[in-house]
Amino acid sequence: MHLVTYGINHNTAPVAVRERFAFDASSLSAALQSLMQHEAVVEAVIISTCNRTEIYCHIDEEYDNPVLSWLHDYHQQSEKDTQQYLYQYQQADAIRHLFRVASGLDSLVLGEPQILGQLKTAYSAAFNNQAVGKSLGRLFQHAFAVAKQVRTDTAIGNSPVSVAFAAVSLAKQIFSNLAQSTALLIGAGETIELVARHLFDNGIKRIIIANRTLERAHALAMQVNGYAISLGEMPAHLAEADIVVSSTASQLPVLGKGMVERALKQRKRRPIFMVDIAVPRDIEPEVSQLEDIYLYCVDDLHDIIEENLQSRRDAAKQAEEIIDNQVDHFLAWMRTQDAVPVIRAIRESAQQQSIELLSKAQKQLEQGLAPEQVLSELSRSLTNKLLHEPSRQLRQSGFEDNPELIAAARRLFNIKD
């Protein structure tokens, strides 16, 4: 069994190069079928995300880089121009790489969990296209188990390392029960969308989306059972908000001190948690001077993120130890597979000899010989048949001064001194 990984990712190539090797979901089945037609490929799994394209293979060792050539041919790329961006791992290194990828240790954001789901999707696609057999099947199931162990036994995923997640985590610290809180999200870009999803997943009571383009606000609000308003309507709704998160492309603040003061009076001094993710800032800095306002800017969140990243780096060291141990376990399983053909051959030979001797015994019984005599002869003949060749080889090893074979026989048959 020879395992190989070929790939390109965010560490080795810019997006302009990575996109040349990407497989979209609609073409993945055709790509797998094309790859499996190569005579060197026994099994294959292809994973393709925005940050990586990787091919995991069980191949025939007689062929030199068959998948690398196929990858370039399939995407019509020159090996000479792109070879510097690609990496290749074999056997233990290939196993370790997959375990690290599954555990989030090779991701752009250390410890992110999305890659595990993407790996499972890639594995399912390969399985459905009959590209997965015993070797890769066992390898990927082992990788999924390793990722689960890393998540369970370390703090690799406990600390938020995205701006959106950090903002929501802070909100949860201030408002212990988000189910009783209302959030006003200003903007409708990617970061605000992530904040909305995190708040929605944490069971927040109500979400208001304010955006310059009302249609975009409506589109996002529908995804999180929210309510859409225009920026001009914010003064009428600000007092409802316990949480305010803003991320627009405005060159001027969209929330001023006066508007916030009026909202606080309507709220009867109930506090408001505010996060200004925008650059330039959306919320006037003077707002932080008001009592009952907790205002954080993007730099404050970055400090939190860096602290959490360090926590993840510490957890990653523990994860690497788990992975090293699990690589050894999988290599041990691979070594047992090398013995399977030998075991099968021994069993088949023994079974054939047993069948022949049993047939002879049945004929003897039909001829009227005593059962005791037939059974005794069957037992003696079977013992002689099964041990004839091992005995001959052991005698020959003594003649040839080969103590290793004799030592192996002692171990094989559990013979004590």
Side-chain angles (χ1 to χ4, degrees), residues 3-186:
L3 299 174
V4 182
T5 300
Y6 301 89
I8 185 171
N9 66 18
H10 57 280
N11 291 318
T12 65
V15 66
V17 177
R18 296 201 304 273
E19 63 188 6
R20 297 187 218 165
F21 291 93
F23 296 87
D24 61 63
S26 61
S27 66
L28 189 57
S29 290
L32 282 164
Q33 291 167 16
S34 170
L35 178 56
M36 290 300 293
Q37 288 174 3
H38 197 296
E39 57 187 345
V41 178
V42 182
E43 303 172 62
V45 174
I46 298 175
I47 178 168
S48 187
T49 72
C50 57
N51 287 327
R52 73 179 66 244
T53 293
E54 291 181 340
I55 303 176
Y56 296 88
C57 283
H58 171 195
I59 66 169
D60 188 326
E61 291 184 74
E62 293 182 6
Y63 295 83
D64 184 30
N65 291 336
V67 179
L68 195 59
S69 299
W70 173 88
L71 181 62
H72 283 89
D73 291 342
Y74 188 87
H75 288 291
Q76 299 179 333
Q77 298 294 316
S78 165
E79 288 193 42
K80 182 179 179 182
D81 294 339
T82 60
Q83 200 165 18
Q84 61 180 311
Y85 302 109
L86 292 155
Y87 47 85
Q88 174 183 336
Y89 301 111
Q90 300 187 40
Q91 295 295 87
D93 291 335
I95 298 165
R96 180 175 288 101
H97 180 73
L98 176 59
F99 290 178
R100 295 187 78 253
V101 170
S103 303
L105 300 187
D106 194 60
S107 296
L108 182 61
V109 178
L110 180 64
E112 60 89 11
Q114 287 82 7
I115 186 63
L116 181 58
Q118 292 166 333
L119 274 176
K120 289 182 176 180
T121 299
Y123 173 78
S124 295
F127 183 84
N128 292 336
N129 281 276
Q130 299 180 322
V132 172
K134 183 176 181 179
S135 300
L136 287 190
R138 181 69 175 249
L139 175 62
F140 271 78
Q141 293 302 326
H142 202 131
F144 301 152
V146 170
K148 182 179 179 181
Q149 183 183 356
V150 167
R151 292 271 158 194
T152 302
D153 295 354
T154 76
I156 191 73
N158 291 356
S159 305
V161 291
S162 72
V163 169
F165 200 178
V168 174
S169 295
L170 276 173
K172 288 168 64 179
Q173 291 177 28
I174 294 172
F175 301 98
S176 57
N177 187 2
L178 291 182
Q180 301 300 319
S181 303
T182 295
L184 170 63
L185 308 184
I186 307 171

Side-chain angles (χ1 to χ4, degrees), residues 8 14 53 92 115 184 207 230 367 382 386:
I8 185 171
T53 293
I115 186 63
L184 170 63
I207 297 176
S230 66
Q367 293 169 357
L382 186 58
L386 293 178

Side-chain angles (χ1 to χ4, degrees), residues 263-405:
L264 282 173
K265 287 179 182 178
Q266 294 178 52
R267 289 174 61 81
K268 297 185 172 95
R269 314 310 300 183
R270 283 184 293 121
I272 303 177
F273 167 66
M274 293 185 165
V275 181
D276 187 353
I277 301 173
V279 179
R281 284 179 282 185
D282 280 340
I283 303 174
E284 287 183 347
E286 292 78 12
V287 169
S288 65
Q289 300 169 7
L290 299 173
E291 291 186 20
D292 303 312
I293 291 293
Y294 300 89
L295 175 60
Y296 292 80
C297 70
V298 69
D299 287 346
D300 298 322
L301 294 184
H302 281 158
D303 290 342
I304 295 170
I305 290 168
E306 182 53 40
E307 182 180 339
N308 289 343
L309 269 175
Q310 185 55 50
S311 173
R312 288 197 176 193
R313 292 186 193 107
D314 293 340
K317 294 177 182 176
Q318 295 175 268
E320 295 285 8
E321 293 177 3
I322 291 172
I323 287 170
D324 286 343
N325 186 46
Q326 291 300 329
V327 168
D328 290 340
H329 278 283
F330 193 81
L331 287 171
W333 176 81
M334 285 179 63
R335 288 191 293 271
T336 66
Q337 299 311 294
D338 294 336
V340 168
V342 177
I343 294 171
R344 185 181 298 117
I346 290 172
R347 284 185 174 275
E348 289 174 353
S349 175
Q351 187 175 24
Q352 182 59 39
Q353 293 177 68
S354 297
I355 291 171
E356 292 173 359
L357 291 174
L358 181 60
S359 176
K360 180 181 178 182
Q362 288 171 334
K363 289 178 181 178
Q364 290 175 333
L365 288 172
E366 292 171 359
Q367 293 169 357
L369 291 180
E372 294 82 359
Q373 181 184 349
V374 172
L375 288 174
S376 177
E377 175 65 18
L378 175 62
S379 174
R380 186 188 64 78
S381 298
L382 186 58
T383 300
N384 289 340
K385 280 270 188 182
L386 293 178
L387 296 181
H388 171 71
E389 186 59 26
S391 300
R392 189 185 72 79
Q393 292 289 349
L394 285 171
R395 282 193 293 270
Q396 184 67 21
S397 70
F399 179 76
E400 295 174 352
D401 191 21
N402 182 6
E404 290 83 3
L405 184 59

